[in-house]
Amino acid sequence: MAEKCQMCLLELIILCSLLTATIGVDDTHKFCSSGENVRLPCNNALSGCTSTTWTYSRYSEAVELMAEGEKKIDPERHERLSLGSDCSLNIKNVTKEDYGFYICQQYVNEQQQGTDAHVYLHFLHVFPSSTQSEIRPGSSVTLFCQLYIDGVSCDTLVSSEGVQLFWVNQAGANLQTDSRYQISPPGQCSSTLTTTLQDEDHNREWRCQVTQRNEVKTSAAYIVRYSDSADSTSEPVVFMTAGPLFRVIVIIVEIAVFAAPTVILLQIICSRRAGRKNSLPPEENRDVYSNTMK
Ligand SMILES: *[C@@H]1O[C@H](CO)[C@@H](O)[C@H](O)[C@H]1NC(C)=O
């Protein structure tokens, strides 16, 4: 029974991939992150764009964005959309709401001309773990890098389109082999980076890059900011950044350092006074003093 199911599943997968291979001749994958401007190509366009229709869909829900080369009313995106001279769809200041599947079609007298142009827009986002309590030196931080996709599986993106996620530092160096970081294995559409924060990490940036066939397509970054040091005024940095236990140790050490010579000095004075009161001979008094010094 289980074997039969596996066979069915395998057949289904093969059938699906065959269908995608034949239908998706004009598939384009676009990658973006927050605030970017993107251009989605419409490779089947007729001149003038008056026959161009752009349709957006996510989770199988379709919205017509452009029809007969004119913008349709879509309150969320209206201001940010425009049609290029080659009938491509321009989206300004991209947000997470824009990822999904876009179709460009040409209609003349309600008859479709040519084939569809399919564009998958994928959105890359980096964010810290929601359970992150404090951003300060010594604490552990976990960053998530997520590629939001729709209409295509992550497996297809990774195996057929050669898509990969990488963590890099400010200099662009790959952090995968850096022992300071624990990074989830590559080959997924999401990745986590975990590290213990160090003093010098304030204003440090960790960047997640998406590459397609080894070419960087877009990236998104997270910048560490220590909230404590931002509103510190007169207090020394060690007290701002150190934990309570460390503070107690520092205070004890300080007391010990300042108090020890005072106690010794008091002892000397007391023993001298006591010596005079008991009216010891001056020689003996000197011996007591020199003994304490030894
Ligand atoms: C881009 O969109 C964000 C909100 O998503 C807004 O705060 C920002 O001002 C916009 N930037 C531009 C240049 O329109």
Side-chain angles (χ1 to χ4, degrees), residues 270-290:
C270 284
S271 60
R272 271 187 170 185
R273 279 190 182 169
R276 269 186 215 138
K277 260 186 193 162
N278 296 342
S279 63
L280 284 167
E283 296 89 49
E284 220 171 306
N285 196 8
R286 242 179 266 133
D287 279 349
V288 169
Y289 183 65
S290 55

Side-chain angles (χ1 to χ4, degrees), residues 139-242:
S139 65
S140 171
V141 69
T142 295
L143 302 179
F144 292 99
C145 178
Q146 178 76 46
L147 186 65
Y148 292 92
I149 60 173
D150 188 61
V152 62
S153 74
C154 181
D155 278 351
T156 303
L157 280 183
V158 172
S159 57
S160 308
E161 298 295 325
V163 169
Q164 277 192 293
L165 300 184
F166 289 104
W167 288 97
V168 296
N169 64 13
Q170 273 152 313
N174 193 334
L175 301 178
Q176 192 74 41
T177 54
D178 191 325
S179 60
R180 201 199 137 176
Y181 305 98
Q182 292 89 56
I183 294 174
S184 60
Q188 304 293 320
C189 290
S190 65
S191 178
T192 60
L193 173 145
T194 303
T195 191
T196 302
L197 292 172
Q198 298 171 352
D199 285 340
E200 58 273 26
D201 287 339
H202 181 56
N203 280 337
R204 182 155 291 178
E205 172 191 286
W206 287 302
R207 188 167 282 278
C208 180
Q209 281 183 338
V210 56
T211 61
Q212 187 181 15
R213 297 185 189 98
N214 300 323
E215 194 184 313
V216 178
K217 292 297 178 179
T218 193
S219 66
Y222 178 79
I223 298 170
V224 173
R225 295 237 157 81
Y226 293 144
S227 48
D228 273 350
S229 51
D231 42 36
S232 78
T233 45
S234 57
E235 268 195 279
V237 176
V238 67
F239 286 105
M240 291 306 294
T241 55

Side-chain angles (χ1 to χ4, degrees), residues 47-102:
S47 67
C49 304
T50 50
S51 56
T52 299
T53 298
W54 272 102
T55 311
Y56 165 78
S57 78
R58 187 156 98 201
Y59 311 132
S60 324
E61 215 173 287
V63 180
E64 203 167 57
L65 301 173
M66 299 271 177
E68 294 169 352
E70 297 286 328
K71 243 192 280 196
K72 304 285 273 190
I73 298 300
D74 175 8
E76 243 177 61
R77 299 181 189 81
H78 194 73
E79 293 301 314
R80 300 185 291 115
L81 296 183
S82 64
L83 210 56
S85 57
D86 58 353
C87 314
S88 56
L89 183 68
N90 297 316
I91 310 176
K92 270 198 292 190
N93 197 10
V94 163
T95 72
K96 192 185 150 195
E97 299 311 308
D98 295 322
Y99 84 89
F101 179 49
Y102 292 78

Side-chain angles (χ1 to χ4, degrees), residues 243-258:
L245 181 67
F246 187 70
R247 264 192 231 190
V248 169
I249 291 168
V250 167
I251 290 167
I252 289 169
V253 169
E254 275 183 349
I255 289 170
V257 165
F258 287 110

